[in-house]
Structures are given as structure tokens and as C-alpha cells.
Amino acid sequence: MKVFISGNIAPVGLKQLEENNISVTQWREDRQITAEELIEACKDEDALISVGPNKINAAFLEACSHLKVIALHSVGYDQVDVAAAKRLNIPIGNTPGVLSGATADTAFLLMLAVSRKAFFSHQKIIKGEWKNYEPTQELGIELNGKTLGVFGLGKIGLEMAKKCMGAYKMPVIYHNRSRNEEAEAEIGAKYVSFEELIAQSDVLSVHTALTPETKGKFTLEVFEQMKPSSIFINTARGGIHNETDLIKALDRKLIWGAGLDVTNPEPMDKSNPLLFMENAAVLPHIGSATEETRDAMAKIIVQNIVAGLKGEKLPYEVRG
Ligand code: DGY
């Protein structure tokens, strides 16, 4: 059996594929594979491990309907036309659960970095602008007892909530499409409307999937309704906030700051104003990038591939 991998995965995954007698071809170039190249690369393969934002849309799926399984190197599957995959009988696997802790750590890191203007202050040293001990400059804000608002209280949002409660005794409010009663019972999170969420949060952390409903949800109008002292964090998908509006909101000090691990587009252009603003902190989509998590993701991917190639039900299958 043969699998094409459109990027790199942790070595433990490659080893396990070999142990299962699955031969591997990998995309080795230092750029994202194009849609045409991906179709061409999958022509003689039995399975695909999709690394990065490859569009697994109807055009790709129809051109590659011979694939027995597609395993995503992500929990998110907004890049997949799940209905088309179902219609063509191609099972799609993802990597839920194992990256919740690492991704929540990234949200927490960004929250702290924004609250203390850490990235901006670091840049000042690099630019030779650290001249003196200055007690009135680059002052941050503290997080103790502030309200955490979670937009999308699932596995990752819950981890973020627990970290904020443990570190800073932050009360948690959240908004979801449907209530998460388990999380309410576990951590005492309070369900609120979207309007209440944006008005009451001191830190608003986005952990929802990118869907037609959440696409472009955070607009200037929304930022206008947030507290001027609030922090906006997005470690989910860049498409959930309107970037131009966010820049305006930060520029006009409608909110205190923003921390992003996801942008739109990715990669972000190196001249993007967000990279130079004192109240912004941006990371290059490293939410799940720890050795432990990437190993765990690679192992799940192999489980999905092995099951799919045998025609068995995937242990971690995207339901849509
Ligand atoms: C995920 O797993 O969805 C991460 O954001 C990587 O894409």
C-alpha cells in the first residue's frame, strides 16, 4: 500500500507506517503543494496524509476518488468538503483530543504576552530602544479575577478555561451553538448570549471551528461592543476574525490588545501592521507544535491510515 504525505510528520509516524509495510512518498519542497500538484501526486497512491491547508474540496476528491482514506494532520477540517467525501465514500480522519493542552497553552501564552506587551517590548530591545529603566512605560494589565469569555467551549476551550481558573481564578463565561452542560458542571462555566459574551469578557478567547456561521464573526461592530480593557485571543482559525477590522480596533484602542496564532491568509505577510503594533502578539500557527503533541498526532494519523487501507472504520473519523 502507498501513501502520499503533503509535508512532514513526526518521525514516529513514518516509522509506524514502515512497520505496517506502507510505502511513503513525501512532498519535500519548502512551500505548500498546489492543488494541481496534489492531484498529480496522489494519482498512483492509496491514501493521503494531508499536512497544512490543502483544499480537500470536491474537485480534488473527484479527481482522487480512488483514495481509500485521507488522514488530516489537524483536528480542524474546515478545508474539507465532508459532504463530497461522504458521497465518494472516502473516509476522512482527524486528530482530536491530543492537541487540546498544547493549543490551550498557546492561547494562555498569547493572553499573558498581550497583557504585558511582551512581544512589543522584546522588539524594542532588538531595535536598540532599551535605553533606561522607565517606570511609566510599557505598563501591562493584570489578569487576576478577570472574566474569561470562551467562544466555542469544546475540548480546547475547556483546557484554556482550566488554566485561567487555576492561574488567576478567572470566572468563565462562554457562548456555543449549543450548551456544554458537562463543562458547566465540571468548571462552573456560565452560558451567555454572544452579545453578553462580547460585552462582559475581559479576555475573549476563540476556540470554535471555522464554519459558515463563525466566518468573519469578529467585525469592527463586535470589537466596538467589547470592553476597552479587553484582550482578544484567536488560536482557532484566522477566518473567524476580520483582520482589517481588528487592526482598526487595535489602532483606535477599542480593545486593549489581541493575540493571534492564526491569521488570514497564512502565512502572514511580513509587513502586516499587526506585527508592529504595541498591543498585538502574533505567532505563526504553532498551537499544537510541541514534540509530545506532534508525536501523538502522528500516531493517530497512522491509526487512521491503517484502518482506512484495511477498509475498516477509522478510529478518529470526521463526521461533518
Ligand atoms: C488543527 O489541528 O486544526 C491545528 O490548527 C492545525 O491546523
Side-chain angles (χ1 to χ4, degrees), residues 111-131:
M111 173 181 75
L112 262 180
V114 173
S115 76
R116 298 300 299 272
K117 304 188 183 179
F119 288 23
F120 181 71
S121 300
H122 179 72
Q123 280 189 30
K124 280 182 80 169
I125 308 175
I126 295 169
K127 290 196 240 155
E129 290 171 8
W130 182 14
K131 302 276 193 234

Side-chain angles (χ1 to χ4, degrees), residues 42-55:
C42 290
K43 225 169 51 190
D44 298 319
E45 303 288 331
D46 300 298
L48 165 66
I49 295 175
S50 176
V51 182
N54 311 305
K55 290 236 169 315

Side-chain angles (χ1 to χ4, degrees), residues 98-291:
V98 291
L99 44 70
S100 306
T103 308
D105 277 344
T106 305
F108 193 88
L109 180 161
L110 285 167
M111 173 181 75
L112 262 180
V114 173
S115 76
R116 298 300 299 272
K117 304 188 183 179
F119 288 23
F120 181 71
S121 300
H122 179 72
Q123 280 189 30
K124 280 182 80 169
I125 308 175
I126 295 169
K127 290 196 240 155
E129 290 171 8
W130 182 14
K131 302 276 193 234
N132 208 351
Y133 176 71
E134 182 36 86
T136 60
Q137 276 182 21
E138 309 317 347
L139 303 188
I141 48 172
E142 297 185 16
L143 298 163
N144 237 359
K146 299 275 171 76
T147 298
L148 172 71
V150 179
F151 183 54
L153 187 62
K155 287 190 175 74
I156 302 173
L158 184 60
E159 285 299 318
M160 171 65 169
K162 285 180 183 167
K163 288 177 204 295
C164 292
M165 289 169 71
Y168 298 118
K169 297 189 172 48
M170 294 170 76
V172 179
I173 57 176
Y174 77 100
H175 181 75
N176 279 13
R177 216 169 13 179
S178 47
R179 282 175 81 142
N180 183 341
E181 280 167 17
E182 230 174 275
E184 287 181 27
E186 191 180 344
I187 60 162
K190 183 175 163 222
Y191 181 83
V192 292
S193 68
F194 183 69
E195 289 67 32
E196 288 168 325
L197 184 85
I198 58 177
Q200 294 174 19
S201 298
D202 294 304
V203 175
L204 199 159
S205 197
V206 176
H207 297 286
T208 184
L210 176 65
T211 64
E213 214 181 328
T214 62
K215 191 170 176 196
K217 183 87 176 165
F218 287 84
T219 56
L220 190 58
E221 206 185 9
V222 170
F223 293 123
E224 274 166 350
Q225 290 164 59
M226 288 172 64
K227 297 184 189 179
S229 55
S230 65
I231 293 174
F232 174 76
I233 303 292
N234 190 355
T235 53
R237 284 292 180 270
I240 297 170
H241 63 262
N242 179 310
E243 193 173 284
T244 313
D245 286 1
L246 177 60
I247 293 169
K248 279 188 198 149
L250 290 171
D251 206 36
R252 295 180 196 166
K253 306 268 190 293
L254 298 178
I255 57 174
W256 165 267
L260 308 175
D261 183 46
V262 289
T263 62
N264 188 17
E266 290 181 7
M268 176 184 260
D269 192 276
K270 66 178 192 212
S271 63
N272 191 300
L274 286 167
L275 297 172
F276 308 98
M277 297 177 103
E278 68 172 320
N279 48 0
V282 186
L283 290 171
H285 205 145
I286 58 157
S288 62
T290 65
E291 292 185 9

Side-chain angles (χ1 to χ4, degrees), residues 298-311:
K299 288 178 190 169
I300 286 186
I301 287 166
V302 176
Q303 288 178 43
N304 278 335
I305 290 290
V306 169
L309 288 177
K310 286 187 189 153

